């Protein structure tokens, strides 16, 4: 079973990135909620998205340096999505969308819990 899971993850990197982003976002948000930071869900989604952007940008920069670009061009190309391949974009956008979906679900859940608590306090 582990071999099948690893095979799936290798064959479908964008999907495996999105699946990995789910617990990453929930974990970062839970830690930030515990620390009482403002907007913990959105901050967690931004952190996870930035992580995956950096991962893909770094890989793309490495690839285009080896294709003959100088270091500055390669860095700027990677930062501003120039020369990115479709798999690079998918491997960044899939976990980004998953992270923001988790953040939205957490916001809705927290809002409902807060509203239910207010109704109980008011005696409804």
């Amino acid at each position: 079973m582990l071999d099948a899971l690893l095979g799936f993850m290798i064959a479908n990197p964008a999907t495996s990135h999105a699946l990995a982003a789910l617990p990453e976002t929930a974990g970062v948000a839970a830690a930030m909620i515990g620390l009482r930071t403002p907007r913990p869900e959105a901050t967690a989604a931004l952190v996870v998205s930035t992580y995956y952007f950096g991962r893909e940008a770094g890989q793309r920069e490495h690839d285009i340096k080896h294709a003959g670009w100088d270091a500055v061009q390669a860095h700027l190309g990677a930062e501003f999505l120039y020369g990115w391949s479709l798999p690079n974009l998918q491997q960044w956008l899939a976990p980004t969308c998953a992270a923001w979906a988790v953040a939205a679900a957490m916001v809705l859940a927290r809002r409902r819990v807060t509203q239910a608590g207010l109704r109980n306090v008011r005696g409804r």
Side-chain angles (χ1 to χ4, degrees), residues 22-115:
L22 298 174
E24 289 170 358
T25 306
V28 171
M32 296 180 108
I33 289 168
L35 294 171
R36 298 187 177 268
T37 59
R39 306 265 189 238
E41 298 88 354
T43 305
L46 186 62
V47 165
V48 171
S49 175
T50 303
Y51 164 74
Y52 281 98
F53 175 82
R55 182 184 184 283
E56 293 308 315
Q59 180 62 45
R60 192 65 195 145
E61 181 177 355
H62 176 78
D63 292 346
I64 56 183
K65 276 183 187 175
H66 284 285
W69 292 30
D70 69 52
V72 173
Q73 287 176 328
H75 178 74
L76 292 175
E79 286 293 319
F80 296 106
L81 306 178
Y82 182 76
W84 276 43
S85 64
L86 183 59
N88 284 120
L89 288 171
Q90 291 170 337
Q91 291 175 47
W92 169 52
L93 289 176
T96 295
C97 292
W100 285 102
V102 168
M106 290 180 78
V107 166
L108 290 173
R110 285 183 64 194
R111 192 171 290 158
R112 287 182 187 224
V113 167
T114 302
Q115 289 173 352

